[in-house]
Structure formats: structure tokens, C-alpha cells
Amino acid sequence: IAGITQAPTSQILAAGRRMTLRCTQDMRHNAMYWYRQDLGLGLRLIHYSNTAGTTGKGEVPDGYSVSRANTDDFPLTLASAVPSQTSVYFCASSEEGHGYTFGSGTRLTVV
Amino acid sequence: GENVEQHPSTLSVQEGDSAVIKCTYSDSASNYFPWYKQELGKGPQLIIDIRSNVGEKKDQRIAVTLNKTAKHFSLHITETQPEDSAVYFCAASIFAGKSTFGDGTTLTVKP
């Protein structure tokens, strides 16, 4: 089934640990995005990539890094997790000029 | 940057009634306005979109209107059904690039 695969689906992480959230798409979309969703705050952009080899910062990039080595994969890394990074993380991709296709999300709890 | 405000935050209607959700945006350069539906435990799903060269767009029971001068756009759902119950997000972007989202509206359709 074409779409976006995110892994893991949920994770409990000790503060200070490093973690990578995985995102893979099979639609050959050039643009990919990472958003976090917090209750009452909607969806906020963390990082984005307009095409393989390029990345950009969104609204809330601090504490996160991304890479885009190829078209299909767009991993998000938390270098040293803090409790304020507890959230649901959504990866999305888009074809030029069209809306997003979202993954099912990763629910992350930092304790 | 772009700022998108969405109202109301919660909306409860009787089955068969209409529901209207309104959004305003701040950046006059924005020209692509999608709407997403998010069911519990899932990622948002694109349901309809409108571009700035169009004033209204319909797809069966849902429609979106855009007023560029006033910088606001609205989602209209007619003949609501219980399966319409979900969280709805509006968004704004330039040429369907990185999007800024509203904070969401929780719609409850009572049978």
C-alpha cells in the first residue's frame, strides 16, 4: 500500500537518551516534513526537506536534527531527549503543488 | 511568518445539521489552503483543498470557500453523519510548500 511508514509507533525514552524516529515513503514525493502534535497546539513544523540532499528548519527545530540522503527516507533524531519533547510526531510528504500525505505517527514519552 | 487561526475549537451538531469551521491567515502571499480530517489514533488525512484563484470548491457533502481580501477561508459540511466526528485542521502555504496549521476543531456529530 502506497504511503508513509513511521517507526516505532510508540516509545518510552529516558531523558538524556538519543533516539531516531524513522520515516519512509514509497510515493517518490520530493518534499518531506516532520511535525509534532501537542494538545491544544495543533501541528508545528520541526524540519522539512524540499528534495533529497536539502533540509530546512521549521517553527520548532531546537533539539532535533534531520537528514535526507535519498528520496524515500527522512529520519528525525533527538540528540538528548528532554521531557518537553513528549509528543506525537508525524512525518508527511507531498507532491509538488498538492497537500500532504501523513504517516500514522510516533507517540513518544520522555521520562 | 504565517499565522493561522481556527474557530471554533469544539463544535457539536445534531446528525443531519450543517457544520462550519472558519480560519484566518496572515500572510497575503499564501495561495494554497488544504483541510485535513484526523480520526482518533491516526494521522491527518487531506479531505479538500482550495487555491487562491478559486472562490469555492465542493466535493459531495463538503465545500470550502475562500475570501482572499479578508484572508479567511471556511469548511462547510452538510448533512452531517456520526462518521464525520473527528478533529479538523485548516492550513495555509505558498504553492503547497511547508504548511502552517490551525489549532484544530473537534467536531462531534450526535446521532
Side-chain angles (χ1 to χ4, degrees):
Chain A
I1 299 176
I4 291 188
T5 301
Q6 289 186 240
T9 55
S10 65
Q11 182 76 43
I12 299 174
L13 184 69
R17 296 296 295 269
R18 178 186 180 91
M19 176 162 188
T20 296
L21 279 60
R22 300 185 298 279
C23 174
T24 299
Q25 55 118 346
D26 61 2
M27 298 169 286
R28 309 301 293 173
H29 289 170
N30 279 326
M32 296 189 75
Y33 312 87
W34 275 105
Y35 284 83
R36 61 178 288 173
Q37 184 174 34
D38 303 293
L39 197 63
L41 294 176
L43 292 150
R44 292 182 292 168
L45 182 64
I46 305 171
H47 285 288
Y48 66 96
S49 170
N50 288 329
T51 190
T54 69
T55 63
K57 293 182 179 180
E59 180 185 357
V60 289
D62 294 344
Y64 306 95
S65 64
V66 292
S67 61
R68 188 86 184 278
N70 56 61
T71 297
D72 298 342
D73 301 300
F74 191 42
L76 176 73
T77 296
L78 289 67
S80 179
V82 296
S84 61
Q85 292 178 311
T86 293
S87 188
V88 181
Y89 291 86
F90 286 101
C91 179
S93 70
S94 67
E95 187 177 356
E96 188 174 350
H98 293 81
Y100 291 179
T101 298
F102 281 91
S104 297
T106 293
R107 183 176 296 275
L108 179 66
T109 303
V110 181
V111 297
Chain B
E2 176 66 276
N3 182 52
V4 176
E5 294 189 357
Q6 183 171 345
H7 300 280
S9 57
T10 61
L11 179 60
S12 181
V13 300
Q14 287 294 138
E15 182 177 359
D17 287 351
S18 295
V20 180
I21 302 170
K22 299 181 179 182
C23 289
T24 61
Y25 62 98
S26 62
D27 189 347
S28 57
S30 290
N31 57 11
Y32 178 71
F33 308 93
W35 286 88
Y36 295 86
K37 176 183 180 182
Q38 185 178 27
E39 297 176 334
L40 199 61
K42 297 184 178 181
Q45 181 177 12
L46 179 70
I47 56 172
I48 194 167
D49 57 14
I50 191 167
R51 302 176 195 275
S52 60
N53 59 344
V54 175
E56 182 175 0
K57 184 177 179 181
K58 289 186 71 173
D59 183 3
Q60 298 183 350
R61 295 187 297 108
I62 61 174
V64 57
T65 59
L66 171 65
N67 183 325
K68 282 180 58 180
T69 303
K71 296 203 201 72
H72 67 69
F73 56 112
S74 300
L75 177 71
H76 304 253
I77 306 174
T78 59
E79 301 173 22
T80 54
Q81 301 167 3
E83 52 264 39
D84 293 329
S85 295
V87 180
Y88 291 82
F89 291 96
C90 63
S93 68
I94 300 172
F95 295 116
K98 49 190 173 77
S99 292
T100 299
F101 286 80
D103 288 343
T105 296
T106 301
L107 173 65
T108 302
V109 179
K110 295 179 285 187

